[in-house]
Amino acid sequence: MSDRRFPILGGVVPPMLGREAIMQRMLGALTKPTPDHIQVVGPHFVGKTVILHELARRLSKMGTPYSAVLLWDVGHQTPATDELFMQRFAQELSIAISVRHPVYAGHLNSVQDNPYQDIAEVLDAIKEDGGKVLVIMDSFDKPLSFGQLTRNLWDQLRALGEKSSLRYVTASRKTLRQLIRHPEIEMSPFFNLFDISPVRVECFDEQDISEILGKLEGVVLNAGAKTELLNATNGFPLLLLEVLNAVCDGNRDGEVKPDTVVAVYDQVLPALSGTIETLWGECSSSSQDLMRRVIDERSVSHTGIAKVDAEILIERGFVHQTGNKLQRPNRLLIKFLDERPNEGNALARMFSGADVYLKHFKGVMERRISHLTDIDSSLKRFLERGAEDLPEHPDVFLGNVHGILERALTLVWKAECWNADSNKPQIPSEWFFLWRNNSEKGFEGWQTSFPEGGQRLRLLDMMSGTQKSDRLSTYVTKNTYAIANAVQGFRDFGVHPKATNIDPGTAYAALHLCIELAASLARELPTPTGATQISNI
């Protein structure tokens, strides 16, 4: 297109359009006497990065209350270990404070090893000087998806965030707690720092759209054209701006009518197909089913449908909510889906080859997860996050199998051998008596120290019955042991990878086992205790 009225993607972050209500909310929360830590949440391509850059620009220009503003894209070359994360944090912080606090910047720049304590000392010194630092971390999904970053790192970030001289702003596609993939990390108080009401970035609202249309010098969309613009995009930023770019292509002047907007649908779809495919691929199978229903019925009541499925579609501009109805299915999405094979009916089309099998088997896994109703909420969330990683990121999923197995075993110990007084598992003394009488091996030392690592699978094997001993467990059976033992192999693979190239089919096999382990626990264990009430061993 020759006339790009609105730059969208590229090497330079474009200027913010609209969003003034969001900006004022964030500025108010960050400049009040006791500022908040803020999490910004929204899907791909919705403009979170644009908003963060404008926030950094305005606060840097104000110069107060923040003497330094650090804008760090943690999704780019994300540090893979605690030490590397803190080292990178120190480097980025050194650059940010170099203008107003050059001495402290020089100190951070010379630090070796883990600089956590040095960062803390610098923040204390900045406080004494009457300064304050805002740390904006974009693409925060990435560090939370890494299985190698431990609770210790998050606890250290919490300790830094408790200082009055530091405030955090994070941006991610989901809330921070929804992104957690490991039970140990879930217990970190870092996530309690943030305001419980995240700043949600979704489609442009009416005020935003009016401001954007006002920038079309010499071009005016009449009422019908505005309606068609919303029919095509529902105000989703990237889609709406690209349609406007096409409308303005050729330097059209004067009034734009509905047929002009409709005519550009086919023109923009090739350029937007990648964006739409990404947004559509991030939708769960159940939300995709809901979308097809809205397309067929044109209007669907909120009653009886999962809230999360509706939210997924609304925030991506695939549907519009009017009262209690989901309406106005996105016409660009409809065109996109019309050009693809029917995904909803024929197995032959969905699994005709290895490539389409890998693409569509994710939906099978998501539907199986949705069947698990009586399941620990944290375990279910870990499984859902795992399904999201496939097939594109099998290494990320395998790196988090450890957390799924840890959660599952914690549920077993809680039900079978939990000491309420010490709030930790303890093997009953009568089990040892029976094992000795039956000449069992491999339980030495368990009376004084609860087994760790792979020894816990040996315990699960023995308590669920062996060739020498009857079953001692009250709830779990050999079904659970067999699946958990198989998962253990993938857990080791994720923690200590044996190859650089991980096959998505291998990751799908691991996910299927994890799901069936959760299903086995749901069948065998009593009604699960709330996730926040269970410690992790």
Side-chain angles (χ1 to χ4, degrees), residues 465-476:
T466 69
Q467 291 182 344
K468 296 180 179 180
S469 303
D470 292 337
R471 173 184 163 196
L472 298 174
S473 54
T474 304
Y475 303 106
V476 295

Side-chain angles (χ1 to χ4, degrees), residues 151-452:
R151 174 177 173 175
N152 184 60
L153 172 71
W154 304 110
D155 287 353
Q156 288 181 338
L157 292 175
R158 162 76 191 210
L160 296 176
E162 289 176 339
K163 297 180 180 296
S164 61
S165 55
L166 176 66
R167 282 298 178 268
Y168 294 120
V169 174
T170 65
S172 53
R173 293 193 295 276
K174 296 186 177 182
T175 65
L176 300 184
R177 286 207 169 273
Q178 288 175 324
L179 291 168
I180 297 173
R181 299 162 181 262
H182 195 287
E184 182 181 353
I185 293 175
E186 186 175 40
M187 303 303 291
S188 174
F190 169 76
F191 304 98
N192 297 330
L193 275 176
F194 294 85
D195 182 24
I196 60 174
S197 299
V199 175
R200 294 196 176 274
V201 183
E202 298 179 336
C203 295
F204 286 138
D205 61 21
E206 291 184 9
Q207 182 177 347
D208 297 331
I209 295 174
S210 295
E211 178 185 330
I212 293 166
L213 294 179
K215 296 181 181 295
L216 296 176
E217 298 178 4
V219 177
V220 178
L221 273 68
N222 66 21
K226 291 178 184 178
T227 297
E228 289 300 336
L229 179 65
L230 292 177
N231 287 339
T233 69
N234 281 318
F236 190 80
L238 196 149
L239 304 184
L240 180 140
L241 295 177
E242 190 63 15
V243 169
L244 288 178
N245 281 333
V247 168
C248 295
D249 189 29
N251 298 311
R252 291 191 180 93
D253 294 321
E255 183 182 57
V256 175
K257 297 181 179 179
D259 57 349
T260 302
V261 178
V262 173
V264 305
Y265 291 174
D266 291 331
Q267 181 182 343
V268 301
L269 189 58
L272 291 174
S273 288
T275 297
I276 296 174
E277 184 166 19
T278 297
L279 294 169
W280 180 246
E282 290 176 343
C283 296
S284 64
S285 297
S286 55
S287 62
Q288 290 181 355
D289 290 342
L290 175 60
M291 184 69 226
R292 293 187 181 96
R293 183 182 166 194
V294 176
I295 293 173
D296 291 340
E297 301 178 19
R298 313 306 294 179
S299 179
V300 174
S301 172
H302 246 299
T303 305
I305 65 174
K307 180 181 178 182
V308 65
D309 288 337
E311 290 174 345
I312 287 172
L313 300 179
I314 293 168
E315 69 181 5
R316 287 165 174 77
F318 288 161
V319 298
H320 178 73
Q321 180 172 341
T322 303
N324 194 40
K325 301 282 188 180
L326 298 181
Q327 299 176 326
R328 207 163 68 198
N330 185 304
R331 291 189 180 176
L332 287 174
L333 175 64
I334 294 173
K335 279 185 168 291
F336 171 79
L337 295 177
D338 284 345
E339 294 181 0
R340 305 178 72 184
N342 189 331
E343 298 176 333
N345 296 323
L347 286 175
R349 290 180 177 179
M350 295 179 69
F351 302 104
S352 59
D355 54 341
V356 292
Y357 153 75
L358 290 175
K359 179 179 179 180
H360 290 118
F361 197 63
K362 172 181 180 176
V364 178
M365 296 290 96
E366 289 177 334
R367 283 179 169 83
R368 178 61 178 135
I369 294 170
S370 70
H371 298 162
L372 309 181
T373 53
D374 296 326
I375 179 178
D376 173 72
S377 58
S378 290
L379 183 55
K380 186 171 186 179
R381 188 175 72 247
F382 296 156
L383 294 173
E384 291 170 340
R385 296 294 81 76
E388 289 176 2
D389 292 330
L390 300 176
E392 290 85 2
H393 305 291
D395 55 331
V396 174
F397 167 67
L398 286 176
N400 289 290
V401 168
H402 173 64
I404 294 173
L405 183 59
E406 290 296 303
R407 191 64 181 183
L409 290 177
T410 296
L411 294 170
V412 172
W413 312 144
K414 184 72 175 181
E416 298 284 3
C417 54
W418 198 261
N419 186 318
D421 294 333
S422 61
N423 196 33
K424 61 182 182 181
Q426 181 177 339
I427 301 173
S429 57
E430 58 267 26
W431 291 9
F432 292 107
F433 175 78
L434 291 169
W435 289 336
R436 288 193 185 94
N437 281 349
N438 295 333
S439 300
E440 294 281 6
K441 302 294 184 183
F443 60 89
E444 295 79 7
W446 292 0
Q447 284 182 297
T448 56
S449 178
F450 194 80
E452 299 179 353

